[in-house]
Amino acid sequence: MRFFRDEQGSAWRDLAALAVTFGVLFFQFLGRLPLIDPDEGRYVEIPREMIERGDFVTPMLNYVKYFEKPPLHYWLNALSLTVFGENEFAARFAGTMCGLLTVLLTYWLGRQLFGRRSGLYAATLLGTALGFLVQSRINFTDMTLTFTLSAAFACFLLASREDSREKARYYYLFYLFMALAVLAKGLIGIVLPGGVIFLYLLATRRWRLLKEMRIPTGTLLFLLVCAPWFVLVSMRNPEFPHFFFIHEHFQRFLSKVHRRYQPLWFFIPVLIGTMMPWSLFIPAALGKGWRERKAHPEKLFLFLWAALIFAFFSKSNSKLIPYILPVIPPLAVLMGNWFAEVRDPACVRRYGMATGLLLIVVGGVALGYPLATTHPIIGTADGGVIGGLFIVAGIVSGLAARSGDQVRLLASLAASAYVLAVVAPPLIYDHIADYTSAKGLSRAIEQYGGKDAKIACLGDYQQGIAFYTHRRVILVGERDELDFGSRQGDNSGWFVDPRDFMKTWNSGEKVFMVVKKNDLPSLKLCSQVPVQVLFEAGERLLVANHPVAGPGPQSAK
């Protein structure tokens, strides 16, 4: 407990302790489970194809051009695949490392702004936020964006302080990380920092910062880092600029073209779930930061950082759960400062008791979920374990809150969340992987001698098949996100109308196809040859149009 209470202490010692403590949590069993489609399969197959083709400029997925994202995450994954081999650990390593680095960055920012305890508490809160941890262990681009964007914000904030002795270094790091954020996710790497900084200057009237921001040389550094790829990819692919900047940015934000529309309030429950078990402390931390914004302008900046990004993505017509991740680090810093400075035992008891009650309710829901759902993603036994751990965490929180000591409450909640984070995610991943991973389907294709046969997906592309089999997949029917790439060059044999594909299916040419269970009756009705079911993975089946010797239908379960 003394480690949490001391204001003095070596920053490097703290960073080492945090890296080891949360490194174990973030990286445990990282490669044990198969890739979860669609995101994990997609974001490892693109870099695998980059390595195979020796082309790190033009991203391709299933061997067609794929311009929905810039290449930073692909490059990091390609490096990881080269170092660790083509496996699940390598696929997740870069994103997980970005999650861990964000925890360490949060400590450093909190310490520099408010002192050691604030930084330590902020890192502890972030590292044990269950939703943040879970998403750190999934291979997608949003955690890479979260780290680079958070680093850019942090460097600007540290550079803009009146007493900063390292303004030049921090400002240049700001431009560097902003460029990397653009390479991670696109124009939001400029738009979000620009919007927050503008509102901050407007609110504080510190327009003089514009003179010290090294704008000419910083802009040059920014362009040197991120412009070369955009120039090269546009020169090699003239169709890139319109698709990337118009379709993937303006149309994504302003329209429902990507079919990811959610209501305006969508990110409120997402934020609560992501910050569990610390969710109920968010209003207190935001309120404290807003009240103290004049005396401590850095708290206003943190408030704007969280609020503007939250509002931006809430207004967007394209919403996915990970979009909220860049909001979490500034909230963690404000919450860490709240824990470090709160002096009202009654306030601590109130929030601690409410958190305990919330965790007990969540535990009860977890206990009842497998029994109340027709197709639960976790079994009764696993639900019992997870629900029991939440209930224990709630009881621990309530007992710790009775003392009115915020450090005891924080340490108790963090320890409970740490245990939950060790036990719960693997249990949930196991069941999700059974229903979403393409690994079992891919291994079945190899087992049944599919090297000489075509591989197809009917109306639902399983992203991981190409990665696990190193084979191109025929898409029958819906093209979804590969629609643009399918129209670049001649890909007629790989993107086929269902009626036309049935000619191939009935021709005697060997084909393995992945279909949804509810599409099987229609397939049998149109098929002139026996349809042999070989493997079952969740709602998907692997079927063949030719006799296959083997043990008979198998299941991923």
Side-chain angles (χ1 to χ4, degrees):
M1 194 73 72
R2 182 179 177 182
F3 178 74
F4 280 96
R5 295 185 185 276
D6 288 345
E7 186 58 52
Q8 302 300 318
S10 166
W12 294 111
R13 182 196 65 181
D14 289 347
L15 285 169
L18 291 169
V20 172
T21 301
F22 291 111
V24 171
L25 191 60
F26 277 56
F27 285 94
Q28 61 153 344
F29 309 125
L30 193 64
R32 184 175 68 85
L33 293 172
L35 300 175
I36 297 174
D37 271 349
D39 291 327
E40 292 203 299
R42 177 193 308 124
Y43 293 128
V44 71
E45 174 59 13
I46 294 172
R48 189 198 69 80
E49 292 183 25
M50 283 183 163
I51 296 171
E52 181 183 279
R53 295 181 294 110
D55 180 359
F56 295 89
V57 174
T58 302
M60 300 186 77
L61 176 60
N62 199 34
Y63 299 90
V64 299
K65 294 178 181 180
Y66 187 83
F67 294 145
E68 294 205 2
K69 301 291 187 297
L72 180 60
H73 190 72
Y74 308 151
W75 291 343
L76 294 174
N77 277 351
L79 178 62
S80 180
L81 291 172
T82 303
V83 173
F84 300 112
E86 293 181 3
N87 54 62
E88 289 85 356
F89 178 85
R92 296 178 177 127
F93 178 83
T96 303
M97 179 58 72
C98 284
L100 179 60
L101 289 175
T102 305
V103 173
L104 302 182
L105 173 71
T106 301
Y107 163 79
W108 183 257
L109 179 60
R111 180 180 178 122
Q112 294 297 307
L113 295 178
F114 308 122
R116 176 182 179 270
R117 289 195 302 148
S118 290
L120 193 61
Y121 298 167
T124 302
L125 289 164
L126 184 60
T128 54
L130 298 177
F132 183 86
L133 169 67
V134 167
Q135 293 179 79
S136 293
R137 291 169 53 87
I138 299 174
N139 173 29
F140 49 36
T141 59
D142 296 273
M143 194 56 69
T144 304
L145 171 70
T146 298
F147 171 65
T148 53
L149 198 59
S150 298
F153 279 123
C155 290
F156 175 85
L157 184 51
L158 294 175
S160 66
R161 300 180 73 197
E162 299 287 358
D163 58 348
S164 176
R165 298 180 181 179
E166 300 176 321
K167 286 183 178 291
R169 184 176 73 171
Y170 277 126
Y171 275 129
Y172 286 127
L173 285 173
F174 160 69
Y175 290 107
L176 170 64
F177 281 110
M178 189 165 61
L180 293 176
V182 171
L183 286 173
K185 205 69 183 285
L187 293 181
I188 60 173
I190 302 174
V191 171
L192 295 179
V196 172
I197 291 170
F198 172 76
L199 291 178
Y200 176 69
L201 297 180
L202 182 66
T204 60
R205 301 185 182 276
R206 297 182 66 193
W207 299 106
R208 65 185 183 278
L209 289 179
L210 295 174
K211 296 181 179 180
E212 68 177 43
M213 283 178 61
R214 281 74 173 172
I215 293 178
T217 52
T219 301
L220 179 61
L221 173 62
F222 172 86
L223 292 174
L224 286 173
V225 173
C226 72
W229 178 77
F230 286 97
V231 173
L232 283 173
V233 74
S234 298
M235 290 174 61
R236 297 184 185 182
N237 308 275
E239 66 277 13
F240 168 82
H242 181 272
F243 179 84
F244 183 80
F245 293 108
I246 303 302
H247 183 268
E248 281 303 301
H249 283 79
F250 295 104
Q251 289 183 354
R252 179 187 287 267
F253 183 83
L254 297 173
S255 73
K256 301 174 184 177
V257 65
H258 284 78
R259 293 177 288 182
R260 295 171 180 169
Y261 175 77
Q262 298 290 346
L264 190 66
W265 49 264
F266 174 74
F267 285 118
I268 294 176
V270 170
L271 179 62
I272 292 173
T274 302
M275 287 300 295
M276 189 74 67
W278 309 102
S279 313
L280 297 186
F281 297 95
I282 294 175
L286 287 174
K288 183 176 185 294
W290 181 254
R291 290 192 300 272
E292 298 175 357
R293 65 190 184 280
K294 293 183 178 179
H296 300 282
E298 60 271 17
K299 293 186 178 181
L300 174 62
F301 187 91
L302 292 167
F303 184 96
L304 292 173
W305 172 358
L308 181 67
I309 296 179
F310 187 89
F312 178 87
F313 285 116
S314 294
K315 179 63 177 68
S316 172
N317 281 306
S318 179
K319 297 183 180 72
L320 290 174
I321 289 174
Y323 291 178
I324 202 67
L325 286 171
V327 172
I328 309 304
L331 288 180
V333 175
L334 287 172
M335 293 164 70
N337 179 250
W338 183 88
F339 269 99
E341 295 184 356
V342 65
R343 296 291 181 268
D344 183 0
C347 181
V348 173
R349 282 193 289 270
R350 183 166 62 251
Y351 279 102
M353 291 291 187
T355 297
L357 179 60
L358 174 63
L359 293 174
I360 291 173
V361 171
V362 171
V365 172
L367 286 172
Y369 165 75
L371 302 175
T373 307
T374 305
H375 300 290
I377 61 172
I378 57 175
T380 304
D382 292 342
V385 172
I386 295 171
L389 287 174
F390 268 105
I391 291 172
V392 170
I395 294 172
V396 169
S397 174
L399 293 175
R402 293 177 61 186
S403 67
D405 184 341
Q406 76 271 29
V407 178
R408 181 175 297 178
L409 174 61
L410 183 142
S412 300
L413 260 179
S416 300
Y418 195 96
V419 174
L420 256 170
V422 169
V423 176
L427 298 179
I428 298 174
Y429 289 159
D430 269 334
H431 294 276
I432 293 177
D434 286 342
Y435 282 85
T436 66
S437 178
K439 186 172 184 177
L441 297 165
S442 304
R443 293 294 178 258
I445 292 171
E446 294 179 348
Q447 176 185 351
Y448 288 109
K451 291 184 178 180
D452 298 326
K454 291 183 176 180
I455 305 173
C457 287
L458 176 60
D460 180 34
Y461 176 43
Q462 286 293 97
Q463 308 268 4
I465 291 179
F467 173 75
Y468 282 117
T469 65
H470 292 191
R471 303 262 305 278
R472 191 174 183 182
V473 178
I474 300 171
L475 268 66
V476 183
E478 180 64 47
R479 303 182 184 189
D480 197 22
E481 61 189 349
L482 294 184
D483 180 66
F484 173 81
S486 70
R487 292 183 277 107
Q488 311 306 309
D490 182 12
N491 293 290
S492 56
W494 299 97
F495 296 88
V496 188
D497 180 83
R499 291 184 179 180
D500 293 335
F501 183 76
M502 291 310 299
K503 298 176 183 178
T504 301
W505 179 266
N506 293 320
S507 69
E509 188 174 2
K510 292 182 178 180
V511 179
F512 289 97
M513 186 158 62
V514 177
V515 301
K516 291 184 177 179
K517 287 181 179 178
N518 55 11
D519 289 331
L520 184 61
S522 299
L523 175 63
K524 288 183 175 180
L525 186 65
C526 298
S527 179
Q528 298 173 8
V529 297
V531 178
Q532 186 172 357
V533 178
L534 305 175
F535 192 85
E536 175 185 349
E539 295 301 312
R540 296 173 179 84
L541 302 171
L542 176 67
V543 300
N545 68 341
H546 56 284
V548 177
Q554 302 177 65
S555 172
K557 296 180 181 180

